[in-house]
Amino acid sequence: MGSGLCKKKSVSEPEEEPAPKRSLVLNLTRRGLKEVPAEVWSQSDLQKLNLSLNCLQSVSPQICVLKNLQVLNLWDNQVGALQRLRVLFLSRNKLTEIPEELGQCTQLQVLSVSQNQLRSLPWTLSNLQNLNKLNLSSNNFSQIPTCVYSLKSLVFLDLGWNLLENLAENIQNLSELRTLILEGNHLSSLNKALCNLRSLELLNVDFNDIKDVPQEFHQLTGLRRLACHPLDSGLHIFHNPLLKPTKEVLEGGLSALYSYLRNPA
């Protein structure tokens, strides 16, 4: 009685197939698309979307619903909006590389790729001659990418919390820099070429391995004081194992430091 309610599954009855995992990568290259298909916006797990070699003239604001999207390839379309792009934030995306095509966004003025896993930048970024603010902090750069030295309009450059061990002489090419952040790296010394950046108003080299500073350092007359607060202008050089100048010299402030460098004992 009631046996129909407790019918056991036949041994030969096939198990239900597990639901297929949603694709993390969608390749829509060379489809002649004039707009992004509506069904793309429902792919909430999508991490990489390739829309290259199509006829797109714009990308819907719905792109924002793809919360997991890490890589968007729009190479060789007609998306004028990207060519007119002024500000681009790509921070905290676990990026290991930047596409070469970004160098086509020649109107960019602000670019932030902080908190990723970058070790290099493509040479094509040297085309970004209108760029004036560049944030490369919290990545894995062991040296300043070569393309950066070509960005002559930079006034702000943040390379804090990377793996830098030295500065190349090419740093002097960035003569318009007013803010240079190098804190949290592995610098043991400062190249005297740095002293040619006479426009610097904020230089942060806190939390490095610096043991001394070049004698020419007093030429950085745009630095007005020794600073402690991260947002303060001036020279941030504390939290280093300095041998010269000594701690006592630094206690006298920036003027004491510059006097020491002009007339070393």
Side-chain angles (χ1 to χ4, degrees):
M1 183 177 177
S3 60
L5 297 177
C6 302
K7 183 180 178 181
K8 294 183 179 180
K9 185 182 290 187
S10 169
V11 174
S12 61
E13 187 174 339
E15 296 288 336
E16 291 185 6
E17 291 289 333
K21 291 184 178 180
R22 303 188 72 173
S23 175
L24 301 179
V25 179
L26 182 57
N27 187 350
L28 295 176
T29 187
R30 295 182 184 274
R31 303 294 178 91
L33 298 175
K34 294 185 177 179
E35 60 183 24
V36 180
E39 52 267 28
V40 169
W41 312 130
S42 65
Q43 305 293 315
S44 58
D45 295 328
L46 202 61
Q47 293 182 356
K48 296 183 179 181
L49 176 58
N50 188 345
L51 293 165
S52 61
L53 297 161
N54 280 291
C55 304
L56 301 174
Q57 296 185 354
S58 64
V59 177
S60 168
Q62 285 185 278
I63 191 74
C64 297
V65 306
L66 302 179
K67 300 296 185 183
N68 293 302
L69 192 65
Q70 297 178 16
V71 178
L72 173 61
N73 190 340
L74 290 168
W75 180 70
D76 204 1
N77 276 276
Q78 302 168 34
V79 185
L82 287 182
Q83 294 173 357
R84 295 192 297 271
L85 199 64
R86 298 290 196 277
V87 178
L88 178 59
F89 290 94
L90 294 171
S91 302
R92 300 183 66 178
N93 277 294
K94 298 182 180 179
L95 298 175
T96 57
E97 60 182 19
I98 297 295
E100 293 183 0
E101 291 76 22
L102 185 59
Q104 298 175 11
C105 300
T106 54
Q107 299 306 306
L108 265 183
Q109 297 176 2
V110 178
L111 173 62
S112 177
V113 293
S114 65
Q115 300 183 66
N116 282 292
Q117 299 166 16
L118 299 170
R119 296 178 182 274
S120 63
L121 294 177
W123 172 249
T124 54
L125 265 59
S126 60
N127 295 328
L128 305 181
Q129 291 300 305
N130 289 305
L131 200 66
N132 53 57
K133 294 184 179 180
L134 176 60
N135 189 343
L136 302 175
S137 63
S138 300
N139 278 284
N140 297 317
F141 295 109
S142 59
Q143 59 184 5
I144 299 177
T146 304
C147 63
V148 172
Y149 297 125
S150 299
L151 304 176
K152 303 296 180 61
S153 296
L154 283 182
V155 298
F156 176 97
L157 175 59
D158 189 347
L159 278 154
W161 307 104
N162 276 282
L163 306 171
L164 302 179
E165 295 184 355
N166 55 64
L167 299 178
E169 288 194 9
N170 288 343
I171 191 70
Q172 63 189 336
N173 293 351
L174 305 178
S175 58
E176 299 300 315
L177 273 182
R178 294 200 291 270
T179 297
L180 176 58
I181 301 174
L182 298 167
E183 67 174 328
N185 280 280
H186 303 313
L187 299 172
S188 58
S189 62
L190 297 174
N191 194 312
K192 66 179 182 180
L194 183 66
C195 303
N196 291 320
L197 301 182
R198 308 294 172 78
S199 296
L200 276 181
E201 298 172 358
L202 190 158
L203 173 61
N204 190 337
V205 292
D206 276 346
F207 299 103
N208 276 279
D209 300 317
I210 298 168
K211 297 178 176 60
D212 56 33
V213 297
Q215 187 176 344
E216 296 83 357
F217 216 64
H218 64 81
Q219 297 173 2
L220 296 175
T221 55
L223 303 177
R224 300 296 185 183
R225 58 178 172 174
L226 291 180
C228 296
H229 191 282
L231 298 180
D232 285 346
S233 59
L235 173 62
H236 299 249
I237 199 171
F238 297 107
H239 309 290
N240 282 285
L242 286 168
L243 300 176
K244 292 183 179 181
T246 63
K247 181 179 179 181
E248 289 73 22
V249 171
L250 291 179
E251 287 176 349
L254 191 63
S255 59
L257 170 59
Y258 281 5
S259 178
Y260 168 85
L261 293 173
R262 291 189 188 98
N263 304 287

